[in-house]
Amino acid sequence: MMSGLHKAPPRHLIILTNNHPEDAVRDSAKLAPKGMKITLGKWTVKTMLQAAKISHYVLIPSDVNDPRKSGVSPGRLLTSLAMGLPVVASPLDSYMPFKEFFSIIGTEEGFKTMKNPLEYDNKILKAQDIISQRYTVKAIESEWVDVVRDQ
């Protein structure tokens, strides 16, 4: 697990996605604050790790009313926390068991997280402790062994 955030607020938005909505990014860039750099990249493990090394926080927007999102896992949320980054995300059902560890987009807490990500280090450390106990390959493997053994 990683820790250690950068000191200054970001002036660079990195968007990693499997879809490349270049026109949407170009149009949104026109609305961004002056001096904000926006970079669009394909999501891969490598690009995610590269972005995490220079990021202050992770923003995970989604549409809670989209039925396709009702079955998503908390993987993005947990991965971001495991990398030591504060998270501001949409309140997807699968994220809510971890609500004490992330801020919700559009709320006062979400804006505070984006302005002062270093203030959330304790939340991240607590989340990393839970992740290491329950969500590592070894922890999940152990749970499966217990299930099979009990059959």
Side-chain angles (χ1 to χ4, degrees), residues 133 136-149:
Q133 290 175 29
T136 61
V137 171
K138 184 175 181 172
I140 293 168
E141 186 178 86
S142 177
E143 282 188 45
W144 275 105
V145 168
D146 290 345
V147 167
V148 173
R149 184 179 19 235

Side-chain angles (χ1 to χ4, degrees), residues 11 62 66 101 103 105 107:
R11 301 299 302 159
S62 192
D66 184 342
F101 305 116
S103 302
I105 290 175
T107 64

Side-chain angles (χ1 to χ4, degrees), residues 19-30 40:
N19 307 322
H20 271 251
E22 293 173 21
D23 292 338
V25 171
R26 199 174 301 113
D27 290 344
S28 296
K30 295 173 188 171
L40 178 65

Side-chain angles (χ1 to χ4, degrees), residues 58-89:
V58 174
L59 185 63
I60 309 174
S62 192
D63 182 356
V64 296
N65 298 314
D66 184 342
R68 295 175 299 161
K69 303 298 180 183
S70 64
V72 301
S73 78
R76 289 179 179 160
L77 173 66
L78 296 177
T79 299
S80 301
L81 293 167
M83 290 189 299
L85 293 165
V87 177
V88 182

Side-chain angles (χ1 to χ4, degrees), residues 14 41 43 54 56 96 109 111 140:
I14 302 168
W43 186 96
I54 60 170
H56 295 79
M96 297 317 288
E109 182 75 12
F111 291 120
I140 293 168

Side-chain angles (χ1 to χ4, degrees), residues 77 87-91 95-96 98-104 123:
L77 173 66
V87 177
V88 182
S90 296
Y95 291 5
M96 297 317 288
F98 309 98
K99 65 184 174 199
E100 69 183 279
F101 305 116
F102 77 97
S103 302
I104 295 175
K123 278 186 180 184

